[in-house]
mmCIF file of all heavy atoms in Angstrom:
data_model
loop_
_atom_site.group_PDB
_atom_site.id
_atom_site.type_symbol
_atom_site.label_atom_id
_atom_site.label_comp_id
_atom_site.label_asym_id
_atom_site.label_seq_id
_atom_site.Cartn_x
_atom_site.Cartn_y
_atom_site.Cartn_z
ATOM 1 N N LEU U 209 173.490 -156.490 112.014
ATOM 2 C CA LEU U 209 174.720 -155.774 111.636
ATOM 3 C C LEU U 209 175.770 -155.857 112.735
ATOM 4 O O LEU U 209 176.646 -154.959 112.821
ATOM 5 C CB LEU U 209 174.415 -154.339 111.258
ATOM 6 C CG LEU U 209 173.554 -154.102 110.027
ATOM 7 C CD1 LEU U 209 173.179 -152.634 109.911
ATOM 8 C CD2 LEU U 209 174.253 -154.575 108.766
ATOM 9 N N ARG U 235 166.815 -140.512 94.711
ATOM 10 C CA ARG U 235 167.015 -139.246 94.011
ATOM 11 C C ARG U 235 167.737 -139.453 92.680
ATOM 12 O O ARG U 235 167.447 -138.780 91.693
ATOM 13 C CB ARG U 235 167.772 -138.240 94.903
ATOM 14 C CG ARG U 235 166.900 -137.556 95.929
ATOM 15 C CD ARG U 235 167.623 -136.409 96.585
ATOM 16 N NE ARG U 235 168.691 -136.881 97.439
ATOM 17 C CZ ARG U 235 168.537 -137.168 98.751
ATOM 18 N NH1 ARG U 235 167.372 -137.020 99.310
ATOM 19 N NH2 ARG U 235 169.556 -137.595 99.443
ATOM 20 N N HIS U 238 165.498 -140.185 89.957
ATOM 21 C CA HIS U 238 164.473 -139.140 89.743
ATOM 22 C C HIS U 238 163.188 -139.488 90.471
ATOM 23 O O HIS U 238 162.080 -139.138 89.990
ATOM 24 C CB HIS U 238 164.208 -138.971 88.216
ATOM 25 C CG HIS U 238 165.406 -138.558 87.451
ATOM 26 N ND1 HIS U 238 165.934 -137.297 87.486
ATOM 27 C CD2 HIS U 238 166.228 -139.297 86.611
ATOM 28 C CE1 HIS U 238 167.007 -137.252 86.729
ATOM 29 N NE2 HIS U 238 167.190 -138.427 86.189
ATOM 30 N N ALA U 335 181.827 -141.946 80.730
ATOM 31 C CA ALA U 335 180.876 -143.058 80.604
ATOM 32 C C ALA U 335 179.584 -142.684 79.867
ATOM 33 O O ALA U 335 178.820 -143.565 79.499
ATOM 34 C CB ALA U 335 180.545 -143.591 82.011
ATOM 35 N N GLU U 341 177.681 -133.995 74.920
ATOM 36 C CA GLU U 341 177.288 -133.315 73.684
ATOM 37 C C GLU U 341 176.041 -132.472 73.870
ATOM 38 O O GLU U 341 175.935 -131.373 73.345
ATOM 39 C CB GLU U 341 177.062 -134.346 72.567
ATOM 40 C CG GLU U 341 178.336 -135.066 72.130
ATOM 41 C CD GLU U 341 179.407 -134.079 71.668
ATOM 42 O OE1 GLU U 341 179.059 -133.113 70.967
ATOM 43 O OE2 GLU U 341 180.569 -134.284 72.027
ATOM 44 N N GLY U 368 160.757 -107.542 62.944
ATOM 45 C CA GLY U 368 159.592 -106.864 62.397
ATOM 46 C C GLY U 368 159.664 -105.371 62.377
ATOM 47 O O GLY U 368 158.707 -104.703 61.965
ATOM 48 N N GLU U 421 162.522 -121.411 61.468
ATOM 49 C CA GLU U 421 162.273 -122.242 60.280
ATOM 50 C C GLU U 421 162.145 -121.462 58.987
ATOM 51 O O GLU U 421 162.494 -121.989 57.918
ATOM 52 C CB GLU U 421 160.976 -123.093 60.522
ATOM 53 C CG GLU U 421 161.018 -123.989 61.731
ATOM 54 C CD GLU U 421 162.079 -125.080 61.659
ATOM 55 O OE1 GLU U 421 162.517 -125.402 60.526
ATOM 56 O OE2 GLU U 421 162.492 -125.605 62.729
ATOM 57 N N ARG U 447 161.877 -132.934 65.293
ATOM 58 C CA ARG U 447 161.311 -133.255 66.648
ATOM 59 C C ARG U 447 162.274 -132.840 67.759
ATOM 60 O O ARG U 447 161.846 -132.340 68.780
ATOM 61 C CB ARG U 447 160.986 -134.715 66.740
ATOM 62 C CG ARG U 447 159.746 -135.146 66.023
ATOM 63 C CD ARG U 447 159.405 -136.575 66.291
ATOM 64 N NE ARG U 447 159.107 -136.808 67.696
ATOM 65 C CZ ARG U 447 157.924 -136.614 68.257
ATOM 66 N NH1 ARG U 447 156.893 -136.237 67.543
ATOM 67 N NH2 ARG U 447 157.750 -136.859 69.564
ATOM 68 N N GLU U 461 165.413 -127.927 78.934
ATOM 69 C CA GLU U 461 164.823 -128.953 78.119
ATOM 70 C C GLU U 461 163.363 -128.662 77.752
ATOM 71 O O GLU U 461 162.653 -129.498 77.197
ATOM 72 C CB GLU U 461 164.887 -130.302 78.859
ATOM 73 C CG GLU U 461 166.332 -130.768 79.067
ATOM 74 C CD GLU U 461 166.419 -132.133 79.663
ATOM 75 O OE1 GLU U 461 165.385 -132.618 80.208
ATOM 76 O OE2 GLU U 461 167.495 -132.732 79.627
ATOM 77 N N SER U 516 134.791 -140.480 73.655
ATOM 78 C CA SER U 516 135.935 -141.137 74.289
ATOM 79 C C SER U 516 136.575 -140.248 75.333
ATOM 80 O O SER U 516 137.393 -140.730 76.140
ATOM 81 C CB SER U 516 136.969 -141.511 73.229
ATOM 82 O OG SER U 516 137.555 -140.366 72.667
ATOM 83 N N ALA U 531 142.010 -144.083 94.222
ATOM 84 C CA ALA U 531 142.489 -142.964 95.059
ATOM 85 C C ALA U 531 142.431 -143.324 96.557
ATOM 86 O O ALA U 531 143.064 -142.648 97.338
ATOM 87 C CB ALA U 531 141.638 -141.710 94.781
ATOM 88 N N ARG U 561 135.412 -125.492 86.330
ATOM 89 C CA ARG U 561 136.666 -125.348 85.571
ATOM 90 C C ARG U 561 137.837 -125.328 86.547
ATOM 91 O O ARG U 561 137.677 -124.974 87.712
ATOM 92 C CB ARG U 561 136.630 -124.042 84.770
ATOM 93 C CG ARG U 561 135.507 -123.968 83.728
ATOM 94 C CD ARG U 561 135.581 -122.690 82.915
ATOM 95 N NE ARG U 561 134.550 -122.629 81.877
ATOM 96 C CZ ARG U 561 133.352 -122.040 82.029
ATOM 97 N NH1 ARG U 561 133.055 -121.469 83.195
ATOM 98 N NH2 ARG U 561 132.469 -122.072 81.054
ATOM 99 N N GLY U 579 116.993 -123.105 101.371
ATOM 100 C CA GLY U 579 117.944 -123.956 102.051
ATOM 101 C C GLY U 579 118.893 -124.714 101.141
ATOM 102 O O GLY U 579 119.706 -125.509 101.619
ATOM 103 N N ALA U 640 145.932 -123.122 88.883
ATOM 104 C CA ALA U 640 145.206 -123.941 87.902
ATOM 105 C C ALA U 640 146.173 -124.888 87.182
ATOM 106 O O ALA U 640 145.869 -126.049 86.960
ATOM 107 C CB ALA U 640 144.488 -123.052 86.892
ATOM 108 N N ASP U 697 122.813 -124.480 82.806
ATOM 109 C CA ASP U 697 122.986 -123.383 83.768
ATOM 110 C C ASP U 697 124.092 -123.690 84.767
ATOM 111 O O ASP U 697 124.805 -122.762 85.193
ATOM 112 C CB ASP U 697 121.645 -123.158 84.505
ATOM 113 C CG ASP U 697 120.557 -122.614 83.578
ATOM 114 O OD1 ASP U 697 120.914 -122.128 82.487
ATOM 115 O OD2 ASP U 697 119.390 -122.662 83.945
ATOM 116 N N ARG U 700 127.190 -123.150 83.091
ATOM 117 C CA ARG U 700 127.224 -121.765 82.689
ATOM 118 C C ARG U 700 127.589 -121.618 81.220
ATOM 119 O O ARG U 700 128.433 -120.839 80.820
ATOM 120 C CB ARG U 700 128.180 -120.963 83.552
ATOM 121 C CG ARG U 700 127.620 -120.661 84.930
ATOM 122 C CD ARG U 700 128.628 -120.675 86.047
ATOM 123 N NE ARG U 700 129.148 -121.993 86.266
ATOM 124 C CZ ARG U 700 130.415 -122.337 86.110
ATOM 125 N NH1 ARG U 700 131.286 -121.421 85.763
ATOM 126 N NH2 ARG U 700 130.842 -123.545 86.373
ATOM 127 N N GLU U 715 128.146 -146.467 74.658
ATOM 128 C CA GLU U 715 128.098 -147.317 73.489
ATOM 129 C C GLU U 715 127.655 -148.755 73.828
ATOM 130 O O GLU U 715 126.991 -149.419 73.031
ATOM 131 C CB GLU U 715 129.461 -147.337 72.798
ATOM 132 C CG GLU U 715 129.805 -146.005 72.146
ATOM 133 C CD GLU U 715 131.112 -146.075 71.387
ATOM 134 O OE1 GLU U 715 131.792 -147.102 71.465
ATOM 135 O OE2 GLU U 715 131.425 -145.124 70.673
#
Side-chain angles (χ1 to χ4, degrees):
L209 295 172
R235 280 191 290 270
H238 300 286
E341 293 303 318
E421 301 296 339
R447 285 186 62 86
E461 296 185 344
S516 67
R561 298 183 177 95
D697 294 343
R700 284 144 294 117
E715 290 185 353

